[in-house]
Amino acid sequence: MLAAMDEFQSALGVVLGTLERMRAGSGRWPRASREILARLQRPRIAHRQQPPTAAAGTKEERLAEVRARVAACTLCPHLAESRTQTVFGSGNIDTEIMFIGEAPGADEDRQGEPFVGRAGQLLTKIIAAMGFAREEVYIANVMKSRPDMPPGTAGNRPPTAIEMQNCLPFLVEQINIVRPKVLVALGATAVEGLLGTRGVMRELRGNWHSFHETPLMITYHPSYLLRNQSPSEKRKLWEDMLLVLEKIGHPITEKQRRYFL
Ligand code: URA
C-alpha cells in the first residue's frame, strides 16, 4: 500500500513539476492556476514530510535524522535529478542566531554547504563584524536543493513557490531543534518562502516579524549588496544586525555602532 502511495506521489510530482514549468514558460496551453497547483501539492506535503516519530534524542541525532530525510527527498523530482547533493545547513546547533537564505547556488551545490560563494563570503564578513565566527551561528536555506537550470546554462534561478512549499517543513524542523533566539531572513525570496508573501524589502526589512513564534528579522540578501554597493544600503543591513545583537542581549561596542559594511 505504501509503495503504491509512493508511486502515486512520485507521479504526481512529475505532473506538478511539468505544470509548473508550463506555467512559468511562455506556452499558452495548458495552463495551471496557482490555486490548482497548491491544491495538488497539499496531500503530497502531508504524505511525505511528517517526521516519523516525535522529538527524541539529542539535537545532533534529531538533526541527523532530518538531514537523512532531506538527502533522500524526491518531492521535487526535477531537483532530485539535477542536484549534486542536498545542502542541509551548517554551524552551531546551540546558537542564538540562525541565518536563512533562499537556496543553494552552484558553489553550494558542489560543496554541500550553504553560503560558500561570493554572497557567502560577504555573509561571513557581516557575521564577523557582529562579533561572531561563522561557526558560532547556524546558516540554512529555505531550499535544500539547488533550483535547476536548463542544461548548459550558467547562473541561478529563484526557487518557485511550490518548490519552497515542499522544502519549508524541513527548515521548520531545523528551527524547532536548534531553537535559536532569533531568525534572520536574507532577501525577499527567503521571506516569501517563510511567510508565503512577496513583500517589498524596503518595507519589510528593519522590523521584527515572527516565524513559528521565533522573532524574525528581515534584511537584505548579501548578493543584493554585491550588486548595489551604495553605502546607505549597506548601512541599512548593518542597522538590522545591530537590532539582532540588541535582541539577543549581546553587548555592542561604539565601533560597531559606527560601523559601515
Ligand atoms: N544564496 C543563498 O540564498 N543561499 C546560499 O546558500 C547561497 C547563496
Side-chain angles (χ1 to χ4, degrees):
M1 177 65 185
L2 205 55
M5 197 62 187
D6 274 351
E7 267 177 37
F8 170 74
Q9 297 291 339
S10 176
L12 186 52
V14 174
V15 171
L16 261 169
T18 307
L19 285 175
E20 199 175 340
R21 276 195 293 280
M22 282 176 168
R23 188 181 159 74
S26 55
R28 281 190 301 164
W29 293 101
R31 296 275 301 210
S33 71
R34 280 186 207 291
E35 195 201 328
I36 291 293
L37 290 176
R39 274 169 56 187
L40 280 169
Q41 191 59 18
R42 246 173 260 143
R44 306 191 67 234
I45 294 172
H47 169 69
R48 272 299 175 86
Q49 296 195 342
Q50 290 305 318
T53 50
T58 62
K59 277 183 161 189
E60 283 89 348
E61 287 165 349
R62 291 166 64 201
L63 281 170
E65 188 277 319
V66 183
R67 183 192 282 267
R69 267 186 289 127
V70 164
C73 183
T74 57
L75 211 45
C76 303
H78 54 297
L79 301 189
E81 181 85 33
S82 63
R83 71 189 172 216
T84 306
Q85 57 194 313
T86 51
V87 179
F88 184 63
S90 66
N92 175 11
I93 62 175
D94 295 312
T95 185
E96 295 188 324
I97 312 174
M98 186 188 286
F99 289 88
I100 302 171
E102 66 178 63
D107 294 318
E108 291 77 20
D109 175 72
R110 241 188 329 270
Q111 296 186 39
E113 195 176 322
F115 281 99
V116 290
R118 279 187 71 225
Q121 284 161 19
L122 179 53
L123 179 61
T124 304
K125 194 175 151 197
I126 293 164
I127 293 167
M130 293 170 77
F132 297 99
R134 181 183 158 101
E135 299 71 33
E136 289 180 287
V137 301
Y138 195 84
I139 306 175
N141 285 306
V142 173
M143 292 294 300
K144 309 304 186 206
S145 300
R146 180 183 185 216
D148 58 344
M149 295 293 288
T153 319
N156 298 311
R157 70 162 171 88
T160 66
I162 286 184
E163 288 166 347
M164 290 196 285
Q165 272 178 39
N166 283 348
C167 239
L168 186 64
F170 292 129
L171 179 65
V172 172
E173 288 190 71
Q174 279 174 296
I175 294 169
N176 287 339
I177 295 170
V178 174
R179 293 208 148 278
K181 268 196 193 158
V182 301
L183 302 169
V184 180
L186 301 166
T189 307
V191 173
E192 186 187 349
L194 288 170
L195 303 182
T197 49
R198 183 131 202 126
V200 182
M201 279 306 285
R202 222 180 22 255
E203 291 160 12
L204 292 171
R205 63 142 286 277
N207 295 306
W208 286 106
H209 304 255
S210 173
F211 182 72
H212 286 244
E213 293 169 25
T214 306
L216 169 70
M217 174 54 63
I218 294 175
T219 196
Y220 291 135
H221 194 286
S223 60
Y224 167 72
L225 292 187
L226 290 173
R227 289 193 307 273
N228 183 342
Q229 298 275 341
S230 110
S232 66
E233 292 300 83
K234 291 182 180 178
R235 175 68 198 177
K236 284 178 194 156
L237 182 142
W238 182 243
E239 279 168 9
D240 300 342
M241 295 307 99
L242 291 177
L243 291 174
V244 168
L245 292 176
E246 270 166 20
K247 190 76 158 182
I248 61 168
H250 195 78
I252 301 174
T253 63
E254 248 335 284
K255 190 173 166 215
Q256 279 176 316
R257 289 214 182 273
R258 283 187 274 106
Y259 186 73
F260 272 75
L261 285 170

